[in-house]
Amino acid sequence: MFLGVLLPVFKKLCTDHIWGVRRQAVEVLPDICKLAPDEIKNGPLLEIFKKFTKDQSKWVKQAAT
């Protein structure tokens, strides 16, 4: 369920064109990490977090820090 449904939907929301959607994705990232296997946390989710810290929106970057 996590890899087949939740992770693909979460990844899509992380790249949404609306900054508020991306900010909410940042805010739920810790909860997503609680559900994720270690290889997902240390791979794709870590990369998503790094992208959030360099987002074009200051609000997304602020939420990530």
Side-chain angles (χ1 to χ4, degrees):
M1 172 113 167
F2 179 82
L3 292 175
V5 178
L6 184 60
L7 187 59
V9 171
F10 181 71
K11 283 181 169 183
K12 184 169 175 54
L13 293 173
C14 290
T15 60
D16 197 274
H17 70 280
I18 300 171
W19 69 265
V21 173
R22 295 191 313 275
R23 187 187 69 205
Q24 289 299 312
V26 170
E27 292 178 1
V28 300
L29 184 57
D31 294 323
I32 298 291
C33 286
K34 290 177 186 175
L35 300 171
D38 287 340
E39 62 270 8
I40 301 298
K41 279 187 242 182
N42 298 325
L45 293 179
L46 182 58
E47 292 305 313
I48 287 171
F49 176 75
K50 288 177 183 178
K51 287 181 184 175
F52 282 144
T53 64
K54 297 175 183 166
D55 196 271
Q56 63 184 351
S57 165
K58 73 175 187 174
W59 302 111
V60 175
K61 286 189 278 194
Q62 184 179 18
T65 57

